[in-house]
Amino acid sequence: MFYHAFNNYMKYAFPDDELNPLQCTGRGSDKNDPHNTIINDVLGDYSLTLVDCLDTFVVFNDRKGFEKAVRDVIKYVSFDQDNKVQVFEVNIRALGALLSAHLFITDPRFGYSIKGYNNELLKLAHDLGKRLLPAFQKSKTGIPYARVNLKYGVPINETHETCTAAAGTLIIEFGVLSRLTNDTRFEDAAKKALFGLWNRRTDLNLLGNVINVQTGQWIHTASSTGAGIDSFYEYLLKAYVLFGETEYLDMFNEAYNSVLRYVKDETGYLYRNVNMMNGGLMSNWVDSLSAYFPGLQVLAGDLDNAIKSHLLYYNIWKKYNAMPERFNFHLRNVELATYPLRPEFIESTYFLYRATRDPFYLQVGEMVLKDLEYYARVNCGFASIKDVLTKSLDERMESFLLSETFKYLYLLFDTENKINSMDDNFIFTTEAHLIFLPQKYLKKHSKIRPSMSGAERSFCSIYEKPSPSKHLFTTSVITSRSDADFARELVGFEERTLPLLDPKGICEVPKSDPQVIEVSFGGLQESHEDDLIYQGQEQQQQIIKYVDGLIANRLKGLKLELTKRVDKKGYDVTKVDNYRVFPGQTFEIRDPAVKDFWVKQQTYQTSVLRVYFYNENNYNAYNYADYIAAVASFGPKITGELPIRTLVSVSSSLYGCVDYNIEETKLIEGNIIFVKRGNCTFVDKVLKAQQAGAKGIVIWSNENYLFQPASAAEKNDIWKFEIPCVLITYENGVELSRILEENEKYIQEGKNSSNIKVKILSHEREPTTNIKTNENNELLLTIYGHAIRNIRLNLNLNGN
């Protein structure tokens, strides 16, 4: 399969970067569309496919093919190109490949020396590294720009945004380059970037997905094991394996613990996208890139979790004969249907087989091999799958097919391959390039453990090594276990191709699944305020099961009692989160007797936005609803209560970014204005509202979490902020907008001439919380909040 792809690339495409497998032509950078990042991030006119697969010849023990490929690279490849490329992609595909090939040529243990070789590949790597350095040097934080022009450096108008994986997946290649060339600039830059990301983690030890390289502010706060952050975790552990420096292991241990605590779901099969600030779920999909994670778990020694997470991806592949880019685990269907022949699932299968020797993983590899042959092979190579549902093909054969997918497949089956017996500080990079460092290149304090192989090469100190009898199977037993059936149910794969433990079938819920409990709610009476008649009727208490927790909506006050567990053994509660109520606060319970309990204080000021609206049964009376709001860091703080004002929205200026006209000013003056987030800065919105005579501004966010609106110029005396500004979530903004629309309807019908009333209250006092256990060791938890709007409750109970 490899030679079918490679030989056709050399015949029809070389010296271009890639082969167009359907047209049998070559492909390089897109000169006609510089903004075509899908192509230009990777292809820079440097014969990428040839460079990327150099060490694949070593895996095949093809010395002649390796030498010819190396000589072709030396003769034809140059990085002196006027092309803007992604630093991450060029680093892992080109720089890593050059370093790996150079190491094999110059290390006599492997027998790949080339007559007349004069370190040309290392010189090419050094030249490439120097062309990538401006991405670091132009950044105030040391976190590199995502892209750089190989000839001219960072373009003037280059975006300041980069993802965590792109900035945190450089330490291996840059570190090795520094040590081989004795030029410390590369390792220093990569290390500064790595620590720059790590030092900006949250109190939960989670990192976000996208960050601003100049300000260090997180732009996209989703934390996961997939796209945008995946190889950050991988390089923490592998940097320790390669260099033997324990700081990388310490970082990995902290990060991995947080992944298990906040990213892994209650079943243990799913690793989700969660909010880095509070661990709340942000999306219902997993992506194909995250299929590498079971392989990393093997390297960390965590075989139990690796086996479970791999089963999910196995069933996704089995359902579609490929791995879709995104799979929605809530709807159990495809969200993004493309499959560009990625290696991550095969990578994890390879590592699991090396660790367990369970032949089930050989069967998995055979399944993948046959599907690739049947669905992706064409006359000139292998084509990416455009749609896993229809199996239509795309005009793309990415270089990682040859450098990773075929390499891992071959090593999976060739169990006696010399690579499979390599030892000590040897790793596969995230592009599957083989990297090792002789002792002379290691620092004196490095701690490389000699003579370890297979699953024993596990450095993560937080796990006990599993007993051999549990995992080193002599026959294929994965297929006849109830957890395999459960993983199949998660994917919604109905075809019964696996043998069952019981004629009636087995679908066992994991032991970690929360036990069934009874929950009772009680309300708190609200007082009369400001001569407004409160005639709130008892609201329906809604409890919604939502993927991995419970959500209770529209509670005026909350009294929650956990009164009984079905096994009658009391409680062992490990975590309770007060979510969407008091941002930045976390309640934790360490043992059933609740001897150790604390509240983490708010990290920024919040307030309560109290909105009075019409009682449909009495137009002269009001109901009211409270919304938690984040107070801006600029402008007056909210220490008391703003007088009741009318809440207004100007339809011609929904975002509040332009000067208001005379008629609009008459409407706004003396009231509180309601605008959407976007189109201009928070400062612009406040200044426009202030100039129109508003007494306050409420901003409707486009996110379902709160953060503090800030201004880069808030310390500058030229800005005079006189009115308060608060931010509410997208979900609450939708409801508030609906209330305003209904109010306008009442006015038009002549039922009432007043507008919606609103006031902003201070919110300084903490919630009153009471936790105790009774004589039966039942845990009673009561939280009295300040007009709690939404609460999310996660109950992680001991399954034993």
Side-chain angles (χ1 to χ4, degrees):
M1 295 168 75
F2 170 83
Y3 286 112
H4 175 65
F6 180 77
N7 291 339
N8 278 292
Y9 162 75
M10 294 301 293
K11 180 178 180 180
Y12 295 109
F14 180 78
D16 287 340
D17 289 311
E18 284 182 356
L19 169 70
N20 291 321
L22 300 179
Q23 297 182 14
C24 302
T25 58
R27 180 203 295 267
S29 63
D30 188 348
K31 303 292 187 183
N32 296 324
D33 184 6
H35 301 292
N36 184 1
T37 55
I38 294 176
I39 297 299
N40 293 329
D41 274 357
V42 179
L43 309 186
D45 303 324
Y46 32 61
S47 304
L48 176 62
T49 298
L50 172 66
V51 174
D52 202 3
C53 68
L54 286 175
D55 62 349
T56 309
F57 291 97
V58 175
V59 170
F60 296 156
N61 198 27
D62 183 356
R63 287 174 172 78
K64 289 184 178 180
F66 177 72
E67 181 173 341
K68 184 180 186 306
V70 168
R71 293 194 183 279
D72 283 340
V73 169
I74 294 172
K75 183 176 180 180
Y76 295 106
V77 173
S78 170
F79 294 102
D80 187 27
Q81 307 289 341
D82 183 10
N83 288 321
K84 186 174 75 169
V85 295
Q86 191 182 70
V87 174
F88 166 77
E89 293 288 359
V90 178
N91 171 67
I92 66 171
R93 299 200 197 202
L95 184 59
L98 294 171
L99 294 171
S100 177
H102 170 77
L103 287 168
F104 278 111
I105 295 170
T106 56
D107 194 320
R109 293 178 297 172
F110 301 99
Y112 281 89
S113 62
I114 295 177
K115 187 177 180 179
Y117 178 72
N118 190 28
N119 296 328
E120 287 90 349
L121 296 186
L122 182 59
K123 293 173 184 175
L124 262 179
H126 193 218
D127 173 66
L128 176 58
K130 289 187 290 186
R131 296 175 185 276
L132 300 180
L133 277 179
F136 301 83
Q137 296 164 345
K138 295 290 185 180
S139 167
K140 293 179 182 179
T141 62
I143 300 172
Y145 279 86
R147 298 173 181 85
V148 65
N149 185 293
L150 291 174
K151 187 183 284 287
Y152 299 113
V154 179
I156 295 176
N157 297 321
E158 184 59 29
T159 177
H160 292 176
E161 297 181 8
T162 191
C163 69
T164 300
T169 311
L170 302 161
I171 190 62
I172 299 292
E173 292 84 357
F174 274 48
V176 171
L177 179 60
S178 279
R179 299 186 190 209
L180 295 181
T181 61
N182 201 29
D183 185 345
T184 61
R185 291 178 296 170
F186 308 105
E187 186 169 3
D188 290 344
K191 197 169 186 178
K192 183 178 180 181
L194 186 66
F195 278 89
L197 290 168
W198 181 245
N199 291 337
R200 289 172 171 83
R201 68 193 186 279
T202 66
D203 291 341
L204 305 184
N205 283 332
L206 294 177
L207 290 86
N209 197 285
V210 179
I211 196 169
N212 186 306
V213 304
Q214 293 292 12
T215 66
Q217 298 295 312
W218 291 104
I219 296 172
H220 185 32
T221 59
S223 189
S224 71
T225 61
I229 194 172
D230 47 359
S231 48
F232 171 83
Y233 297 114
E234 180 183 2
Y235 269 37
L236 288 180
L237 182 55
K238 289 184 176 179
Y240 171 68
V241 176
L242 182 64
F243 301 127
E245 295 166 23
T246 55
E247 58 187 344
Y248 298 117
L249 177 61
D250 293 339
M251 293 160 65
F252 174 79
N253 282 341
E254 287 192 49
Y256 187 55
N257 269 322
S258 293
V259 167
L260 294 183
R261 184 173 186 183
Y262 300 108
V263 178
K264 186 178 75 169
D265 86 322
E266 63 188 15
T267 70
Y269 291 84
L270 289 165
Y271 291 77
R272 311 152 304 155
N273 289 273
V274 302
N275 191 315
M276 65 185 289
M277 303 299 180
N278 53 37
L281 185 70
M282 291 188 71
S283 63
N284 293 326
W285 48 261
V286 293
D287 58 54
S288 62
L289 287 172
S290 62
Y292 88 99
F293 199 64
L296 183 64
Q297 291 177 305
V298 171
L299 189 61
D302 187 7
L303 283 178
D304 287 334
N305 278 315
I307 289 170
K308 291 182 71 173
S309 56
H310 177 271
L311 279 171
L312 175 78
Y313 297 105
Y314 164 70
N315 281 284
I316 293 175
W317 184 290
K318 193 137 180 78
K319 185 175 184 179
Y320 301 108
N321 304 106
M323 187 64 63
E325 284 288 82
R326 284 185 185 174
F327 176 80
N328 190 305
F329 55 79
H330 181 64
L331 300 177
R332 300 182 181 183
N333 60 22
V334 170
E335 193 156 302
L336 288 178
T338 59
Y339 172 56
L341 313 184
R342 293 194 187 279
E344 284 76 15
F345 175 58
I346 285 299
E347 175 184 354
S348 290
T349 303
Y350 163 73
F351 275 103
L352 275 163
Y353 179 70
R354 297 305 306 167
T356 66
R357 303 304 172 95
D358 186 340
F360 165 69
Y361 297 108
L362 296 178
Q363 297 167 14
V364 174
E366 183 182 11
M367 171 188 71
V368 171
L369 184 149
K370 289 182 176 179
D371 285 340
L372 290 177
E373 280 280 277
Y374 186 79
Y375 294 109
R377 186 176 182 130
V378 294
N379 289 337
C380 287
F382 288 81
S384 297
I385 296 175
K386 182 185 296 185
D387 190 327
V388 299
L389 301 175
T390 65
K391 300 302 187 294
S392 59
L393 299 178
D394 198 6
E395 186 70 278
R396 192 85 191 267
M397 188 178 81
E398 297 245 25
S399 65
F400 53 66
L401 175 69
L402 289 80
S403 70
E404 298 187 77
T405 307
F406 292 148
K407 184 183 293 176
Y408 282 125
L409 266 175
Y410 190 83
L411 287 172
L412 171 66
F413 296 119
D414 189 11
T415 57
E416 303 304 317
N417 193 291
K418 187 175 182 179
I419 299 301
N420 285 329
S421 62
M422 287 182 67
D423 210 338
D424 302 331
N425 56 328
F426 151 73
I427 63 157
F428 292 94
T429 70
T430 196
E431 189 74 5
H433 295 307
L434 295 88
I435 296 289
F436 49 90
L437 273 181
Q439 189 72 35
K440 64 180 180 179
Y441 294 114
L442 302 179
K443 296 179 180 179
K444 292 182 180 180
H445 62 273
S446 299
K447 296 180 180 180
I448 297 298
R449 304 181 187 184
S451 302
M452 289 185 288
S453 59
E456 292 181 343
R457 192 157 45 244
S458 306
F459 297 93
C460 189
S461 61
I462 55 178
Y463 292 103
E464 294 182 6
K465 186 177 176 182
S467 60
S469 61
K470 189 173 183 180
H471 293 296
L472 302 182
F473 307 117
T474 56
T475 59
S476 179
V477 299
I478 288 281
T479 54
S480 57
R481 284 172 21 182
S482 54
D483 55 358
D485 281 350
F486 184 80
R488 181 169 52 197
E489 287 297 316
L490 285 178
V491 173
F493 185 47
E494 298 178 356
E495 182 184 345
R496 293 286 175 178
T497 57
L498 301 181
L500 299 173
L501 286 176
D502 185 279
K504 298 178 181 179
I506 294 283
C507 185
E508 181 180 284
V509 176
K511 291 181 179 179
S512 61
D513 193 60
Q515 300 292 316
V516 177
I517 60 174
E518 292 181 0
V519 183
S520 65
F521 287 88
L524 291 175
Q525 278 296 113
E526 296 285 353
S527 60
H528 298 259
E529 294 195 35
D530 303 295
D531 296 326
L532 290 170
I533 303 174
Y534 172 64
Q535 296 184 0
Q537 300 176 354
E538 184 177 353
Q539 299 181 11
Q540 180 182 3
Q541 312 299 330
Q542 298 178 342
I543 310 297
I544 303 170
K545 174 70 177 174
Y546 186 68
V547 182
D548 65 343
L550 301 169
I551 290 183
N553 286 315
R554 302 182 65 88
L555 302 178
K556 283 293 182 181
L558 176 66
K559 179 181 179 182
L560 174 70
E561 293 185 356
L562 312 183
T563 56
K564 185 173 64 175
R565 199 170 86 178
V566 291
D567 60 6
K568 308 295 184 182
K569 293 181 180 179
Y571 289 91
D572 181 14
V573 178
T574 58
K575 185 159 189 274
V576 180
D577 278 340
N578 199 7
Y579 180 66
R580 287 191 195 158
V581 182
F582 306 99
Q585 293 187 347
T586 302
F587 296 88
E588 298 198 27
I589 307 170
R590 290 302 180 91
D591 60 61
V594 200
K595 295 175 182 176
D596 184 10
F597 170 78
W598 70 93
V599 176
K600 180 181 175 184
Q601 297 300 320
Q602 294 177 176
T603 55
Y604 56 85
Q605 187 191 15
T606 57
S607 71
V608 174
L609 182 71
R610 177 157 294 178
V611 180
Y612 300 90
F613 53 96
Y614 295 113
N615 185 319
E616 295 183 12
N617 299 319
N618 183 350
Y619 297 118
N620 295 316
Y622 287 93
N623 289 341
Y624 71 83
D626 285 349
Y627 302 86
I628 301 300
V631 180
S633 62
F634 55 92
K637 301 304 177 187
I638 301 171
T639 57
E641 298 182 2
L642 269 71
I644 295 177
R645 304 283 182 180
T646 299
L647 185 68
V648 298
S649 176
V650 180
S651 58
S652 61
S653 182
L654 295 176
Y655 293 93
C657 294
V658 298
D659 292 332
Y660 297 102
N661 59 38
I662 296 176
E663 293 301 318
E664 292 168 341
T665 300
K666 291 180 180 178
L667 178 66
I668 294 170
E669 189 173 6
N671 295 314
I672 297 176
I673 188 168
F674 178 57
V675 300
K676 286 186 175 182
R677 180 187 174 197
N679 289 8
C680 64
T681 66
F682 291 114
V683 167
D684 290 334
K685 297 178 191 293
V686 173
L687 290 177
K688 299 295 183 186
Q690 187 172 295
Q691 291 167 2
K695 294 301 182 182
I697 180 169
V698 177
I699 298 178
W700 171 9
S701 179
N702 50 15
E703 303 283 357
N704 265 332
Y705 59 90
L706 288 177
F707 59 91
Q708 185 176 31
S711 164
E714 62 188 86
K715 295 182 180 179
N716 194 322
D717 290 336
I718 66 171
W719 302 110
K720 300 295 184 182
F721 303 105
E722 299 172 355
I723 64 174
C725 167
V726 299
L727 179 78
I728 61 174
T729 65
Y730 175 78
E731 181 179 290
N732 288 338
V734 169
E735 184 171 341
L736 187 54
S737 178
R738 178 184 57 79
I739 292 172
L740 284 169
E741 290 177 1
E742 290 178 356
N743 175 71
E744 290 298 323
K745 179 184 68 175
Y746 292 144
I747 294 175
Q748 292 172 5
E749 293 175 357
K751 295 179 179 178
N752 201 299
S753 59
S754 300
N755 284 326
I756 293 294
K757 302 294 184 180
V758 63
K759 69 176 179 177
I760 303 174
L761 292 72
S762 64
H763 184 214
E764 296 177 340
R765 63 189 180 94
E766 298 171 0
T768 302
T769 307
N770 179 34
I771 305 176
K772 62 182 179 180
T773 53
N774 61 18
E775 63 277 5
N776 297 322
N777 195 31
E778 295 174 341
L779 179 71
L780 302 179
L781 164 65
T782 306
I783 302 175
Y784 292 98
H786 186 285
I788 291 174
R789 189 72 187 156
N790 298 289
I791 186 168
R792 173 172 175 165
L793 177 68
N794 287 333
L795 301 174
N796 298 323
L797 303 177
N798 188 333
N800 296 324

